[in-house]
Amino acid sequence: MTNPSHPFATVRDLLRYATSRFNQAEIFFGHGTTNAYDEAAYLILHTLHLPLDTLEPFLDARLMDDEITAIMNLIERRATERLPAAYLTNEAWMHGFRFYVDERVIVPRSLIGELLQDRLTPWVDDPDQVTAVLELCTGSGCLAILSAAAFENADIDAVDISHPALEVAQRNVSDYQLDDRIALFEGDLYEPLPERQYDVILTNPPYVNQASMDALPPEYGHEPTIALAGGPDGMTIVQRIIANAKRFLTPDGVLVVEIGNERDHVEAAFGGLELNWLTTSAGDDSVFLLRAADLPD
């Protein structure tokens, strides 16, 4: 029997309501979807344990009261608490990989994941010869796991300064049964690592400049500040990564750094280096690569 306290009966009803509610609340989309309709569809399909890419066949399915209540609760929390959807569902997806997430880590959304789909070609001559990868500021461990898939013969070391973040990363590493290939290190950038050299160093570090931090939408306030804030110009952590990278790279190794919208600050800080800007879905301004030979000693 339909609950008389609300007029909803089908997936279509809830999809329409959620889309309107999200538009009315002017929520911000930056953690997986780009609009209210897709956000609503994701939350509904997830809650109903339906395939996330299959909405049409279920639009007119009548729902049980407890299903409607669960979906309504999520819709309201998303609209009023401004929690990213990934924190409501405890999952984030990147290139077909599902990762557990909660508020101990930022929501995975790295453009480097796209580059790993192509195994960093042409910058890596032979991906099968990559045997050692380092990821700095690993957070949920998503890029370390994608690296293990991209470079099948590589062991991966992943570092984060946050113990709570590494607890999430360990859960994801274990979920993918990669404990024998991915080693997690707690500490400040290179500090906890053994003396060794890597073919590839990847990092999506804290890079948001202070003015941008002050203007972030409420959704970002639920993420760990330490994973976002990069100092006055966003380059505080990036500077330290670049300064010490050569010591940890093989002579033919590469350093890949994601910097979001901070290209101007990168050019101002490191314009004297041979920066190679890589093409991603966000354009040519968000990820740069440095060869070992072009890094400062």
Side-chain angles (χ1 to χ4, degrees), residues 138 141 144 156-159 166-167 169-171 173 182-186:
T138 192
I156 293 94
D157 290 344
V159 181
L166 288 173
E167 291 176 336
Q170 182 60 66
R171 175 169 177 167
V173 169
I182 298 176
L184 301 176
F185 293 85
E186 181 179 345

Side-chain angles (χ1 to χ4, degrees), residues 149-227:
F151 304 113
E152 297 176 1
N153 298 317
D155 290 325
I156 293 94
D157 290 344
V159 181
D160 206 288
I161 199 169
S162 165
H163 182 76
L166 288 173
E167 291 176 336
V168 175
Q170 182 60 66
R171 175 169 177 167
N172 285 318
V173 169
S174 295
D175 282 349
Y176 281 100
Q177 300 180 320
L178 287 168
D179 297 85
D180 59 335
R181 292 185 56 203
I182 298 176
L184 301 176
F185 293 85
E186 181 179 345
D188 187 8
L189 300 179
Y190 305 99
E191 177 268 326
L193 294 168
E195 282 292 336
R196 67 175 297 190
Q197 292 185 314
Y198 301 89
D199 303 300
V200 175
I201 299 177
L202 306 170
T203 183
N204 182 18
Y207 56 66
V208 183
N209 68 71
Q210 189 56 52
S212 295
M213 285 293 298
D214 294 339
L216 285 176
E219 278 81 354
Y220 293 95
H222 295 282
E223 296 186 296
T225 300
I226 193 175

